[in-house]
Amino acid sequence: QVQLVQSGGGSVQAGGSLRVSCAASGYSYSRFCIVGWFRQAPGKEREEVAAIVISTGLTFIADSMKGRFTISQDNDNNTVWLRMGSLKPEDTAMYYCATSDRCNTWSRATTYNYWGQGTQVTVSS
């Protein structure tokens, strides 16, 4: 059974940096097409953050996060990283990683088969 185990996150002041990781347990990421990150703040809809195509390393970053967030993969450790910089209070949310064996639209949550448990990121002003 595929499990995605998230770690990292936490609290930081505005302008700071954090990173969150998503490790696949039970299967190698190489069997999947894409790994994505989404976030959801209280009272708001889930929104896409970033994604990476496993086979090529092609990355996608949501417009509001370009230049601040990066996504990368560590094949040796079967882990995908989301590094977040120049954080703003509006980045405060629960962050979720997800993976899919289908190479569909990266920004749609329905693309993804498996989800991590979520990691809280809190940015104070």
Side-chain angles (χ1 to χ4, degrees), residues 15-56:
S17 300
L18 286 173
R19 63 179 187 177
V20 288
S21 66
C22 181
S25 175
Y27 290 89
S28 169
Y29 269 135
S30 62
R31 71 158 277 180
F32 298 102
C33 177
I34 193 168
V35 175
W37 286 93
F38 290 78
R39 70 184 186 184
Q40 188 165 20
K44 295 188 177 181
E45 293 186 354
R46 179 171 47 193
E47 65 174 330
E48 67 277 12
V49 175
I52 186 166
V53 177
I54 295 300
S55 61
T56 64

Short mmCIF file of all heavy atoms in Angstrom, two decimals, residues 15-56:
data_model
loop_
_atom_site.label_atom_id
_atom_site.label_comp_id
_atom_site.label_asym_id
_atom_site.label_seq_id
_atom_site.Cartn_x
_atom_site.Cartn_y
_atom_site.Cartn_z
N GLY A 15 8.94 36.51 5.82
CA GLY A 15 10.25 36.67 5.22
C GLY A 15 11.16 35.49 5.40
O GLY A 15 12.20 35.38 4.73
N GLY A 16 10.78 34.59 6.28
CA GLY A 16 11.61 33.42 6.57
C GLY A 16 11.39 32.30 5.57
O GLY A 16 10.64 32.44 4.59
N SER A 17 12.05 31.17 5.86
CA SER A 17 11.99 30.01 4.97
C SER A 17 11.66 28.75 5.76
O SER A 17 12.00 28.63 6.94
CB SER A 17 13.34 29.81 4.28
OG SER A 17 13.71 30.93 3.51
N LEU A 18 11.01 27.84 5.07
CA LEU A 18 10.72 26.53 5.61
C LEU A 18 10.79 25.52 4.48
O LEU A 18 10.70 25.90 3.30
CB LEU A 18 9.32 26.48 6.24
CG LEU A 18 9.10 27.17 7.57
CD1 LEU A 18 7.61 27.15 7.92
CD2 LEU A 18 9.90 26.50 8.69
N ARG A 19 10.88 24.28 4.86
CA ARG A 19 10.78 23.24 3.85
C ARG A 19 9.93 22.10 4.40
O ARG A 19 9.91 21.85 5.62
CB ARG A 19 12.15 22.73 3.41
CG ARG A 19 12.97 22.06 4.49
CD ARG A 19 14.29 21.58 3.92
NE ARG A 19 15.03 20.79 4.89
CZ ARG A 19 16.19 20.20 4.64
NH1 ARG A 19 16.76 20.34 3.44
NH2 ARG A 19 16.78 19.50 5.57
N VAL A 20 9.26 21.43 3.51
CA VAL A 20 8.47 20.26 3.85
C VAL A 20 8.87 19.13 2.89
O VAL A 20 9.24 19.39 1.75
CB VAL A 20 6.96 20.53 3.76
CG1 VAL A 20 6.51 21.43 4.89
CG2 VAL A 20 6.57 21.15 2.43
N SER A 21 8.83 17.94 3.40
CA SER A 21 9.20 16.79 2.58
C SER A 21 8.06 15.80 2.49
O SER A 21 7.17 15.77 3.35
CB SER A 21 10.45 16.10 3.14
OG SER A 21 10.17 15.52 4.39
N CYS A 22 8.12 14.97 1.49
CA CYS A 22 7.10 13.97 1.25
C CYS A 22 7.81 12.70 0.80
O CYS A 22 8.36 12.64 -0.31
CB CYS A 22 6.14 14.47 0.17
SG CYS A 22 4.80 13.34 -0.23
N ALA A 23 7.82 11.71 1.68
CA ALA A 23 8.51 10.46 1.39
C ALA A 23 7.51 9.36 1.07
O ALA A 23 6.52 9.20 1.78
CB ALA A 23 9.37 10.05 2.59
N ALA A 24 7.77 8.63 0.01
CA ALA A 24 6.88 7.53 -0.37
C ALA A 24 7.32 6.25 0.33
O ALA A 24 8.51 5.90 0.31
CB ALA A 24 6.90 7.34 -1.87
N SER A 25 6.37 5.60 0.93
CA SER A 25 6.66 4.36 1.63
C SER A 25 5.95 3.21 0.94
O SER A 25 4.78 3.31 0.62
CB SER A 25 6.17 4.44 3.08
OG SER A 25 6.33 3.21 3.74
N GLY A 26 6.68 2.14 0.68
CA GLY A 26 6.06 0.98 0.06
C GLY A 26 6.31 0.87 -1.43
O GLY A 26 6.31 -0.23 -1.98
N TYR A 27 6.50 1.99 -2.06
CA TYR A 27 6.75 2.00 -3.50
C TYR A 27 7.75 3.10 -3.82
O TYR A 27 7.85 4.10 -3.12
CB TYR A 27 5.46 2.26 -4.29
CG TYR A 27 4.47 1.12 -4.25
CD1 TYR A 27 3.52 1.04 -3.25
CD2 TYR A 27 4.50 0.12 -5.21
CE1 TYR A 27 2.62 0.00 -3.20
CE2 TYR A 27 3.60 -0.93 -5.17
CZ TYR A 27 2.66 -0.97 -4.17
OH TYR A 27 1.76 -2.01 -4.12
N SER A 28 8.45 2.90 -4.92
CA SER A 28 9.34 3.95 -5.40
C SER A 28 8.53 4.98 -6.17
O SER A 28 7.55 4.67 -6.84
CB SER A 28 10.39 3.34 -6.34
OG SER A 28 11.09 4.36 -7.01
N TYR A 29 8.95 6.23 -6.06
CA TYR A 29 8.29 7.29 -6.83
C TYR A 29 8.39 7.02 -8.33
O TYR A 29 7.59 7.55 -9.11
CB TYR A 29 8.91 8.65 -6.50
CG TYR A 29 8.25 9.38 -5.37
CD1 TYR A 29 9.01 9.99 -4.39
CD2 TYR A 29 6.87 9.48 -5.28
CE1 TYR A 29 8.42 10.68 -3.34
CE2 TYR A 29 6.27 10.17 -4.23
CZ TYR A 29 7.06 10.77 -3.27
OH TYR A 29 6.47 11.43 -2.24
N SER A 30 9.35 6.21 -8.73
CA SER A 30 9.54 5.97 -10.16
C SER A 30 8.34 5.28 -10.81
O SER A 30 8.19 5.30 -12.03
CB SER A 30 10.80 5.13 -10.39
OG SER A 30 10.67 3.87 -9.77
N ARG A 31 7.50 4.66 -9.99
CA ARG A 31 6.30 4.03 -10.56
C ARG A 31 5.17 5.03 -10.80
O ARG A 31 4.16 4.70 -11.39
CB ARG A 31 5.79 2.90 -9.68
CG ARG A 31 5.18 3.34 -8.40
CD ARG A 31 4.24 2.29 -7.83
NE ARG A 31 2.92 2.38 -8.44
CZ ARG A 31 1.91 1.60 -8.13
NH1 ARG A 31 2.05 0.64 -7.24
NH2 ARG A 31 0.74 1.73 -8.73
N PHE A 32 5.36 6.26 -10.32
CA PHE A 32 4.34 7.29 -10.47
C PHE A 32 4.77 8.33 -11.49
O PHE A 32 5.94 8.45 -11.83
CB PHE A 32 4.07 7.97 -9.13
CG PHE A 32 3.53 7.01 -8.10
CD1 PHE A 32 4.37 6.50 -7.12
CD2 PHE A 32 2.22 6.62 -8.13
CE1 PHE A 32 3.88 5.61 -6.17
CE2 PHE A 32 1.72 5.73 -7.20
CZ PHE A 32 2.55 5.23 -6.22
N CYS A 33 3.82 9.08 -11.96
CA CYS A 33 4.13 10.11 -12.95
C CYS A 33 4.49 11.44 -12.29
O CYS A 33 5.43 12.10 -12.71
CB CYS A 33 2.94 10.31 -13.89
SG CYS A 33 3.21 11.63 -15.07
N ILE A 34 3.74 11.81 -11.28
CA ILE A 34 3.83 13.18 -10.79
C ILE A 34 3.64 13.23 -9.28
O ILE A 34 2.89 12.41 -8.72
CB ILE A 34 2.79 14.06 -11.52
CG1 ILE A 34 3.04 15.54 -11.28
CG2 ILE A 34 1.37 13.67 -11.11
CD1 ILE A 34 2.22 16.43 -12.21
N VAL A 35 4.31 14.15 -8.64
CA VAL A 35 4.08 14.44 -7.22
C VAL A 35 3.74 15.92 -7.11
O VAL A 35 4.44 16.77 -7.68
CB VAL A 35 5.32 14.12 -6.37
CG1 VAL A 35 5.10 14.55 -4.91
CG2 VAL A 35 5.63 12.63 -6.44
N GLY A 36 2.69 16.21 -6.42
CA GLY A 36 2.24 17.60 -6.29
C GLY A 36 2.09 18.01 -4.84
O GLY A 36 2.04 17.17 -3.93
N TRP A 37 2.04 19.33 -4.67
CA TRP A 37 1.76 19.91 -3.35
C TRP A 37 0.54 20.82 -3.48
O TRP A 37 0.43 21.59 -4.43
CB TRP A 37 2.94 20.73 -2.85
CG TRP A 37 4.10 19.91 -2.39
CD1 TRP A 37 5.19 19.52 -3.13
CD2 TRP A 37 4.32 19.38 -1.08
NE1 TRP A 37 6.05 18.78 -2.36
CE2 TRP A 37 5.54 18.68 -1.09
CE3 TRP A 37 3.59 19.44 0.11
CZ2 TRP A 37 6.05 18.05 0.04
CZ3 TRP A 37 4.10 18.80 1.25
CH2 TRP A 37 5.32 18.11 1.19
N PHE A 38 -0.31 20.72 -2.49
CA PHE A 38 -1.48 21.58 -2.37
C PHE A 38 -1.50 22.17 -0.97
O PHE A 38 -0.81 21.68 -0.07
CB PHE A 38 -2.77 20.77 -2.61
CG PHE A 38 -2.94 20.33 -4.04
CD1 PHE A 38 -2.22 19.24 -4.53
CD2 PHE A 38 -3.81 20.98 -4.89
CE1 PHE A 38 -2.36 18.83 -5.84
CE2 PHE A 38 -3.97 20.57 -6.19
CZ PHE A 38 -3.24 19.50 -6.68
N ARG A 39 -2.30 23.19 -0.78
CA ARG A 39 -2.45 23.75 0.55
C ARG A 39 -3.89 24.18 0.76
O ARG A 39 -4.62 24.47 -0.20
CB ARG A 39 -1.50 24.93 0.77
CG ARG A 39 -1.82 26.19 -0.02
CD ARG A 39 -0.76 27.24 0.18
NE ARG A 39 -1.10 28.51 -0.45
CZ ARG A 39 -0.30 29.56 -0.47
NH1 ARG A 39 0.91 29.50 0.09
NH2 ARG A 39 -0.67 30.66 -1.08
N GLN A 40 -4.26 24.23 2.03
CA GLN A 40 -5.61 24.66 2.37
C GLN A 40 -5.55 25.43 3.67
O GLN A 40 -5.11 24.91 4.70
CB GLN A 40 -6.57 23.50 2.47
CG GLN A 40 -8.02 23.93 2.63
CD GLN A 40 -9.00 22.81 2.38
OE1 GLN A 40 -8.65 21.63 2.44
NE2 GLN A 40 -10.24 23.16 2.07
N ALA A 41 -6.01 26.67 3.61
CA ALA A 41 -6.09 27.51 4.80
C ALA A 41 -7.50 27.42 5.36
O ALA A 41 -8.46 27.13 4.63
CB ALA A 41 -5.74 28.95 4.44
N PRO A 42 -7.66 27.67 6.66
CA PRO A 42 -9.00 27.60 7.26
C PRO A 42 -9.99 28.49 6.53
O PRO A 42 -9.70 29.66 6.26
CB PRO A 42 -8.77 28.09 8.69
CG PRO A 42 -7.33 27.78 8.95
CD PRO A 42 -6.63 28.00 7.64
N GLY A 43 -11.12 27.92 6.17
CA GLY A 43 -12.17 28.69 5.52
C GLY A 43 -11.94 28.97 4.05
O GLY A 43 -12.73 29.67 3.41
N LYS A 44 -10.87 28.41 3.51
CA LYS A 44 -10.56 28.63 2.10
C LYS A 44 -10.51 27.31 1.35
O LYS A 44 -10.36 26.25 1.93
CB LYS A 44 -9.22 29.37 1.96
CG LYS A 44 -9.22 30.77 2.52
CD LYS A 44 -7.95 31.50 2.17
CE LYS A 44 -7.97 32.93 2.68
NZ LYS A 44 -6.73 33.66 2.32
N GLU A 45 -10.63 27.42 0.04
CA GLU A 45 -10.55 26.23 -0.79
C GLU A 45 -9.10 25.77 -0.92
O GLU A 45 -8.16 26.55 -0.81
CB GLU A 45 -11.13 26.51 -2.17
CG GLU A 45 -12.63 26.78 -2.16
CD GLU A 45 -13.20 26.91 -3.56
OE1 GLU A 45 -12.42 26.90 -4.52
OE2 GLU A 45 -14.43 27.02 -3.67
N ARG A 46 -8.97 24.47 -1.20
CA ARG A 46 -7.64 23.93 -1.46
C ARG A 46 -7.09 24.55 -2.74
O ARG A 46 -7.82 24.72 -3.72
CB ARG A 46 -7.73 22.42 -1.58
CG ARG A 46 -6.44 21.71 -1.88
CD ARG A 46 -6.60 20.21 -1.75
NE ARG A 46 -7.78 19.73 -2.44
CZ ARG A 46 -8.29 18.51 -2.29
NH1 ARG A 46 -7.70 17.65 -1.48
NH2 ARG A 46 -9.37 18.16 -2.96
N GLU A 47 -5.81 24.87 -2.74
CA GLU A 47 -5.20 25.44 -3.92
C GLU A 47 -3.89 24.72 -4.24
O GLU A 47 -3.20 24.22 -3.36
CB GLU A 47 -4.95 26.94 -3.78
CG GLU A 47 -3.95 27.32 -2.72
CD GLU A 47 -3.63 28.81 -2.71
OE1 GLU A 47 -3.69 29.45 -3.78
OE2 GLU A 47 -3.29 29.32 -1.63
N GLU A 48 -3.59 24.70 -5.53
CA GLU A 48 -2.36 24.05 -5.98
C GLU A 48 -1.16 24.92 -5.62
O GLU A 48 -1.25 26.15 -5.58
CB GLU A 48 -2.39 23.80 -7.49
CG GLU A 48 -2.37 25.05 -8.34
CD GLU A 48 -3.74 25.68 -8.53
OE1 GLU A 48 -4.68 25.29 -7.82
OE2 GLU A 48 -3.83 26.57 -9.40
N VAL A 49 -0.05 24.24 -5.37
CA VAL A 49 1.20 24.93 -5.01
C VAL A 49 2.28 24.65 -6.04
O VAL A 49 2.84 25.55 -6.64
CB VAL A 49 1.67 24.50 -3.61
CG1 VAL A 49 3.03 25.12 -3.29
CG2 VAL A 49 0.65 24.87 -2.55
N ALA A 50 2.59 23.36 -6.23
CA ALA A 50 3.69 22.99 -7.12
C ALA A 50 3.57 21.51 -7.46
O ALA A 50 2.84 20.77 -6.81
CB ALA A 50 5.04 23.25 -6.44
N ALA A 51 4.32 21.11 -8.48
CA ALA A 51 4.36 19.69 -8.84
C ALA A 51 5.64 19.40 -9.59
O ALA A 51 6.27 20.32 -10.15
CB ALA A 51 3.15 19.29 -9.68
N ILE A 52 6.00 18.13 -9.60
CA ILE A 52 7.19 17.70 -10.32
C ILE A 52 6.89 16.39 -11.05
O ILE A 52 6.26 15.49 -10.47
CB ILE A 52 8.40 17.56 -9.37
CG1 ILE A 52 9.68 17.25 -10.15
CG2 ILE A 52 8.15 16.50 -8.31
CD1 ILE A 52 10.95 17.44 -9.31
N VAL A 53 7.31 16.31 -12.30
CA VAL A 53 7.16 15.08 -13.06
C VAL A 53 8.37 14.20 -12.75
O VAL A 53 9.51 14.61 -12.95
CB VAL A 53 7.09 15.37 -14.57
CG1 VAL A 53 7.02 14.07 -15.35
CG2 VAL A 53 5.89 16.25 -14.89
N ILE A 54 8.12 13.03 -12.23
CA ILE A 54 9.18 12.20 -11.70
C ILE A 54 10.21 11.81 -12.76
O ILE A 54 11.41 11.87 -12.52
CB ILE A 54 8.59 10.94 -11.04
CG1 ILE A 54 7.75 11.34 -9.82
CG2 ILE A 54 9.68 9.95 -10.65
CD1 ILE A 54 8.51 12.08 -8.75
N SER A 55 9.76 11.42 -13.92
CA SER A 55 10.68 10.89 -14.93
C SER A 55 11.58 11.94 -15.54
O SER A 55 12.72 11.64 -15.96
CB SER A 55 9.89 10.19 -16.04
OG SER A 55 9.02 11.11 -16.67
N THR A 56 11.09 13.18 -15.62
CA THR A 56 11.85 14.23 -16.32
C THR A 56 12.38 15.31 -15.39
O THR A 56 13.29 16.05 -15.77
CB THR A 56 10.98 14.91 -17.37
OG1 THR A 56 9.89 15.58 -16.72
CG2 THR A 56 10.41 13.89 -18.35
#
